[in-house]
């Protein structure tokens, strides 16, 4: 994966991997606020299988970086209880597929408690988990289930694509007073990008235009941003100017930036790695169709994971998700340059 | 039993008709004899009346679609009747080459009147600029009009700089028919032309004097020419003829057509039996026909059966011209303007009202000598219309 050109290395920045950026965000927040702690499977000595949290247990000790048994429902319940009683827990769910086990605590409890208590209770719970296919992890470890979570009012959903975004948004998530789920694509942990030396926090609900263009808008989430950037390079060679909008957070959603881009170019493809039907792609496409209708020169397209379980066979798995080639081909069709 | 509404045959050789417009909608109550649809054949546009009273149903042909003659396009239901499940017996609109988006197969759901394909942005831009998307050629999928197609019409928001669509808009039936018929005539009939300058002074005087008489106030040069041409044709039956299957067939009547320019092309209504009509009858008939041509209400019988055509461009200041034959007719008269010219009369220059007549002939039917004799007769009649003055 190439780095987005939109954020160039500048004085006062370093190249970090997305993994390092998340680690740095957690460390900074834990130093800043003693109520922040981490709980999850293999988060301490192992630093997670992806090594994102390496070194944190050494600095903050096993009391604040807690290895849990394999029980996502239990961990999330612990996290929610702690959150409601004054802590700022970060619950680590190793694979997004197991968000299904978190759902009762998250959907029926965490998402509702602030509302049902008339605002008297808060649940400053952050859940960090993963999404994304093509890691050859088969059907139960390859899903992108962020749409399930984004569907529920009361939960904020963050999908960072770059190290810069990941760090700034993660810090914002921890500081939120109600539940936030951060989905990181497990294929992006090694992606490098510039991150300022100085501390910063990015607001939730502000999209980022990763590339400016005139002919077609690609609204891309998470690692699909890189698919879009590669497609844009291909398309530029064909004389098609591509604008890429990364919503960065699904909830809250920066409708204005997405719609403004679609209105500017008149054509939009929404690229998201969740399943196509009833998903994030459908929601973003509907938003564009509703609010940019009279500026659209072509139907809004969705490019998502196929509506099938993600296959283990690498050959088949690669067919189920959008690629730069398929996105570029779809964009060419849309602008009439097949 | 529901009454079928069919595409009528309005001309002998007519194979199909186009539904231009439905004047009634599905479910409307209709009275027998009331117009329900407007159709266009290769020659005319006509309103078709309801064949029965009842409820119009089963409209299955969209506006703009061609339907074979005899095809059922709708039914009229008597009170209590329901649309039969398979009614009306399948008519598939014929897809014509000029219609860019193929006409959808009409299922029971009725896609009648589907609007032209255009993107929302193109539609909005077109509305803002006062451009009709239906008149634009679309570059998008299935011929859909895109924003760029609207923008390339070149008309800015201020309405300035009228531009031309990249491809021409669809032509009307009249123009298409004109294009086909002139091409066919030009390619099949060997044309030759004979011109003669005639003294139109008597014609002018004749018109002036005739107009003073009751019932003749609106006599025109054209009416006089129709009368004179009819008289000349009566004397030259070999000119009042046509080439048909390798032989010459003389016409039984003298039916003189008058070329009339209308907004979307050229039509030629016909004064039938012009040789037997009185001048004022010619005037009355010519007025009816020209009015019908201008309002698009010519009936098939108004434009059929012509044996000779007069085309007059004098009013446009044209001195002389050669016309394309109006096949299968063997001759057409092209009339230039009447202008004062100095001519030699008995060795002296005199000023006379002159006009140049040019007759085009089909050489398969008329040779040079016969054509010249016909033109001579006509010229003599123009210069001395004795006996034809009412």
């Amino acid at each position: 994966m190439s780095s987005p050109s939109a954020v160039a290395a500048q004085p006062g920045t370093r190249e970090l991997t997305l993994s390092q950026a998340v680690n740095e965000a957690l460390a900074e927040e834990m130093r800043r606020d003693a109520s922040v702690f981490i709980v999850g499977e293999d988060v301490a000595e192992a630093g997670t299988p992806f090594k994102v949290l390496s070194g944190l247990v050494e600095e903050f000790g096993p009391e604040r970086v807690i290895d849990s048994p394999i029980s996502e429902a239990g961990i999330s319940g612990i996290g929610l209880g702690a959150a409601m009683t004054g802590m700022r827990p970060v619950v680590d769910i190793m694979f997004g597929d197991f968000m299904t086990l978190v759902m009762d605590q998250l959907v029926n409890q965490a998402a509702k408690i602030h509302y049902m208590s008339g605002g008297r209770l808060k649940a400053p719970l952050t859940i960090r988990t993963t999404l994304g296919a093509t890691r050859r992890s088969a059907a139960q470890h390859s899903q992108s289930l962020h749409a399930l979570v984004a569907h529920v009012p009361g939960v904020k959903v963050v999908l960072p694509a770059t190290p810069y975004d990941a760090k700034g948004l993660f810090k914002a998530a921890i500081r939120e007073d109600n539940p936030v789920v951060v989905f990181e694509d497990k294929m992006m942990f090694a992606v490098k990008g510039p991150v300022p030396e100085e501390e910063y926090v990015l607001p939730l609900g502000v999209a980022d235009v990763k590339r400016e263009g005139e002919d077609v808008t690609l609204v891309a989430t998470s690692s699909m941003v890189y698919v879009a950037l590669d497609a844009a390079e291909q398309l530029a060679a064909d004389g098609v100017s591509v604008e890429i909008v990364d919503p960065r957070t699904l909830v809250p959603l920066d409708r204005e930036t997405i719609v403004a881009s679609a209105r500017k170019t008149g054509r939009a493809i929404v690229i998201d790695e969740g399943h196509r039907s009833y998903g994030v792609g459908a929601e973003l496409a509907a938003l564009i169709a509703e609010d940019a209708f009279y500026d659209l020169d072509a139907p809004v397209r969705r490019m998502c994971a196929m509506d099938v379980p993600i296959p283990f066979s690498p050959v088949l798995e690669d067919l189920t998700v959008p690629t730069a080639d398929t996105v570029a081909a779809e964009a060419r069709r849309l602008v009439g340059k097949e | 039993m529901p009454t079928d509404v069919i595409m009528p045959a309005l001309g002998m050789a007519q194979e199909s008709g186009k539904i231009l417009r439905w004047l009634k909608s599905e479910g409307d109550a209709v009275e027998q004899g009331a117009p329900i649809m407007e159709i266009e054949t290769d020659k005319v546009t006509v309103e078709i009346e309801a064949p029965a009273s009842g409820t119009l149903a089963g409209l299955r042909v969209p506006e703009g679609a061609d339907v074979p003659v005899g095809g059922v396009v709708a039914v009229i239901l008597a009170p209590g009747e329901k649309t039969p499940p398979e009614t009306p017996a399948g008519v598939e609109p014929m897809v014509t080459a000029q219609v860019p988006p193929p006409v959808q197969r009409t299922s029971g759901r009725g896609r009648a009147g589907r609007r032209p394909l255009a993107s929302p942005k193109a539609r909005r831009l077109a509305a803002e600029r006062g451009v009709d998307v239906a008149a634009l050629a679309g570059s998008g999928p299935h011929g859909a009009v895109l924003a760029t197609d609207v923008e390339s019409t070149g008309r800015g928001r201020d309405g300035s700089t009228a531009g031309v669509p990249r491809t021409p808009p669809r032509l009307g039936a009249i123009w298409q028919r004109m294009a086909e018929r002139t091409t066919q005539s030009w390619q099949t009939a060997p044309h030759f032309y004979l011109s003669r300058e005639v003294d139109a002074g008597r014609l002018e005087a004749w018109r002036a004097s005739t107009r003073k008489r009751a019932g003749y106030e609106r006599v025109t040069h054209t009416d006089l020419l129709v009368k004179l041409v009819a008289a000349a044709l009566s004397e030259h039956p070999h000119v009042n003829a046509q080439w048909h299957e390798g032989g010459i067939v003389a016409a039984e009547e003298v039916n003189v057509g008058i070329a009339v320019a209308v907004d979307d092309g050229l039509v030629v209504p016909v004064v039938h039996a012009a040789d037997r009509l009185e001048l004022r009858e010619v005037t009355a008939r010519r007025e009816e026909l020209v009015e019908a041509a201008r309002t698009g209400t010519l009936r098939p019988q108004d434009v059929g059966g012509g044996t000779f055509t007069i085309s007059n461009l004098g009013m446009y200041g044209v001195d002389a011209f050669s016309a394309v034959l109006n096949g299968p007719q063997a001759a057409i008269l092209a009339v230039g303007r009447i202008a004062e010219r100095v001519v030699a009369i008995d060795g002296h220059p005199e000023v006379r009202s002159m006009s140049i007549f040019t007759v085009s002939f089909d050489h398969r039917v008329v040779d040079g000598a016969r054509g010249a004799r016909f033109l001579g007769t006509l010229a003599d009649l123009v210069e001395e219309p004795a006996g034809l003055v009412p």
Side-chain angles (χ1 to χ4, degrees):
Chain A
M1 286 175 184
S2 61
S3 297
S5 54
V7 183
Q10 289 163 350
T13 69
R14 319 136 285 162
E15 288 277 316
L16 292 187
T17 63
L18 189 133
S19 173
Q20 289 168 326
V22 171
N23 187 299
E24 200 169 271
L26 272 163
E28 284 179 14
E29 290 306 296
M30 289 175 81
R31 285 177 208 129
R32 176 180 171 272
D33 183 347
S35 67
V36 178
F37 72 98
I38 302 167
V39 58
E41 298 156 15
D42 281 340
V43 294
E45 276 73 23
T48 79
F50 305 105
K51 306 300 173 197
V52 177
L53 307 183
S54 296
L56 293 181
V57 70
E58 282 77 11
E59 178 174 352
F60 301 103
E63 298 81 15
R64 295 183 68 193
V65 183
I66 305 167
D67 269 335
S68 74
I70 302 178
S71 172
E72 286 81 4
I75 312 163
S76 51
I78 289 167
L80 175 60
M84 287 166 61
T85 52
M87 303 296 281
R88 288 194 178 267
V90 176
V91 171
D92 190 294
I93 303 296
M94 195 184 294
F95 286 91
D97 311 72
F98 306 119
M99 285 301 291
T100 52
L101 293 158
V102 175
M103 287 304 257
D104 179 59
Q105 292 298 329
L106 181 65
V107 174
N108 286 328
Q109 314 304 333
K112 305 290 191 290
I113 198 67
H114 186 67
Y115 171 79
M116 292 183 75
S117 69
R120 295 165 78 179
L121 287 173
K122 290 178 176 143
L125 166 69
T126 300
I127 295 174
R128 69 171 291 263
T129 189
T130 59
L131 56 71
T134 70
R135 188 174 170 267
R136 321 307 182 208
S137 301
Q140 296 160 315
H141 293 75
S142 302
Q143 299 172 88
S144 300
L145 299 179
H146 46 299
L148 300 187
V149 179
H151 184 67
V152 179
V155 185
K156 296 185 177 69
V157 180
V158 177
L159 276 79
T162 65
Y164 173 82
D165 292 347
K167 183 180 175 188
L169 294 169
F170 214 108
K171 287 166 69 80
I174 291 170
R175 296 182 191 187
E176 275 289 315
D177 278 344
N178 273 299
V180 180
V181 181
V182 181
F183 285 90
E184 299 153 19
D185 191 308
K186 47 187 154 321
M187 301 302 288
M188 290 193 312
F189 287 125
V191 168
K192 285 186 176 169
V195 177
E197 302 274 5
E198 226 171 67
E199 192 192 356
Y200 66 97
V201 179
L202 293 177
L204 305 186
V206 179
D208 184 38
V209 177
K210 292 284 196 272
R211 179 184 175 117
E212 291 193 8
E214 301 296 329
D215 298 330
V216 59
T217 293
L218 305 181
V219 181
T221 62
S222 190
S223 61
M224 294 299 105
V225 168
Y226 299 98
V227 168
L229 285 163
D230 289 347
E233 286 299 318
Q234 288 188 26
L235 289 161
D238 299 338
V240 179
S241 169
V242 173
E243 179 148 304
I244 299 173
V245 179
D246 174 8
R248 298 201 291 195
T249 62
L250 298 181
V251 184
L253 181 64
D254 182 354
R255 303 167 65 98
E256 290 74 17
T257 301
I258 295 167
V259 169
S261 178
R263 293 184 65 171
K264 173 177 147 189
T265 63
R267 299 177 177 85
I269 301 174
V270 176
I271 315 165
D272 180 81
E273 211 180 342
H275 293 298
R276 176 182 166 88
S277 294
Y278 310 103
V280 170
E283 176 60 30
L284 297 178
L287 163 70
I288 294 166
E290 285 170 357
D291 288 4
F293 184 81
Y294 294 105
D295 290 283
L296 289 179
D297 215 13
V300 184
R301 297 289 182 196
R302 274 176 292 166
M303 299 194 71
C304 306
M306 285 181 190
D307 291 329
V308 296
I310 306 298
F312 173 67
S313 154
V315 174
L316 294 179
E317 182 179 26
D318 289 346
L319 286 175
T320 62
V321 291
T323 64
D325 288 345
T326 58
V327 168
E330 187 67 39
R332 280 189 205 100
R333 267 194 290 281
L334 220 54
V335 299
K337 287 197 175 182
E338 285 182 88
Chain B
M1 272 284 290
T3 307
D4 289 342
V5 178
I6 63 163
M7 174 58 67
L10 300 173
M12 291 283 284
Q14 182 193 340
E15 290 178 347
S16 70
K18 179 193 286 183
I19 306 246
L20 270 189
R21 204 153 60 90
W22 284 101
L23 303 172
K24 297 284 182 184
S25 305
E26 179 90 23
D28 280 0
V30 294
E31 293 258 328
Q32 184 171 0
I36 54 172
M37 61 180 178
E38 195 171 281
I39 67 166
E40 184 182 73
T41 72
D42 54 5
K43 293 194 174 103
V44 287
T45 301
V46 210
E47 288 183 352
I48 298 300
E49 300 168 350
S53 295
T55 305
L56 190 63
L59 267 63
R60 51 168 41 215
V61 180
E63 290 179 350
D66 274 321
V67 176
V69 162
V72 179
V73 296
V75 292
I76 293 174
L77 305 173
E81 279 181 346
K82 288 201 170 113
T83 316
E86 270 301 303
T87 62
V91 173
E92 300 259 332
M94 299 177 358
V95 177
T96 57
Q98 320 85 353
V99 183
V103 175
Q104 302 280 333
R105 281 174 72 104
T106 51
S107 65
R109 288 181 298 153
R111 302 188 64 102
R114 180 173 179 175
R115 59 182 192 165
L117 292 175
S119 80
K121 184 176 184 181
R123 246 179 241 294
R124 178 177 59 76
L125 290 175
E128 286 171 2
R129 297 169 185 216
V131 175
D132 179 9
V133 290
L136 300 178
S139 63
H142 309 294
V145 175
L146 302 181
T148 175
D149 301 323
V150 179
E151 282 156 357
S152 69
T153 60
R155 283 214 276 161
R157 276 165 202 276
D158 54 352
S160 62
T161 60
V164 180
R166 278 189 297 192
T167 44
R170 192 156 73 91
L171 295 167
I174 290 175
W175 195 277
Q176 281 169 16
R177 190 61 185 162
M178 181 183 75
E180 286 164 17
R181 294 182 66 148
T182 51
T183 301
Q184 191 190 20
S185 170
W186 187 254
Q187 290 176 346
T188 58
H191 286 57
F192 76 97
Y193 314 95
L194 300 177
S195 293
R196 184 159 165 170
E197 193 169 23
V198 298
D199 185 340
R202 291 296 300 271
L203 200 64
E204 295 231 279
W206 186 28
R207 186 178 75 118
S209 65
T210 305
R211 279 190 154 201
K212 289 173 184 156
R213 299 175 50 194
Y216 293 89
E217 294 87 348
R218 295 195 302 278
V219 168
T220 64
H221 282 124
T222 300
D223 300 338
L224 298 174
L225 283 170
V226 168
K227 200 69 193 122
L228 297 177
V229 161
L233 286 171
S234 301
E235 287 184 38
H236 298 269
H238 48 268
V239 174
N240 196 48
Q242 61 175 271
W243 185 255
H244 183 70
E245 293 181 357
I248 298 171
V249 179
E252 290 175 1
E253 287 192 312
V254 175
N255 301 330
V256 179
I258 305 165
V260 178
V262 294
D263 285 346
D264 49 353
L266 177 70
V267 290
V268 185
V270 175
V271 178
H272 287 259
D275 56 330
R276 298 201 302 267
L277 295 182
E278 250 208 279
L279 181 58
R280 62 181 167 191
E281 292 173 318
V282 170
T283 300
R285 188 77 189 108
R286 189 261 313 150
E287 287 185 336
E288 279 174 23
L289 290 169
V290 170
E291 177 62 16
R294 301 238 152 101
T295 55
T297 53
L298 284 171
R299 297 164 301 165
Q301 58 264 40
D302 296 333
V303 294
T307 60
F308 186 95
T309 296
I310 299 172
S311 181
N312 186 351
L313 293 179
M315 62 289 257
Y316 296 105
V318 170
D319 287 326
F321 67 104
S322 305
V324 177
L325 285 165
N326 184 14
Q329 298 167 19
I332 180 168
L333 169 64
V335 182
R337 67 174 169 143
I338 297 174
E340 288 196 333
R341 296 186 196 285
V342 178
V343 290
I345 304 291
D346 297 332
H348 298 286
E350 288 191 25
V351 174
R352 297 283 176 98
S353 292
M354 304 299 288
S355 177
I356 300 171
F357 282 21
T358 304
V359 184
S360 314
F361 294 99
D362 180 345
H363 215 311
R364 296 171 301 182
V365 180
V366 181
D367 62 10
R370 289 182 177 200
R373 286 198 288 272
F374 169 75
L375 183 53
T377 299
L378 182 61
D380 289 348
L381 285 169
V382 170
E383 291 173 358
E384 188 57 65
L388 292 169
V389 179

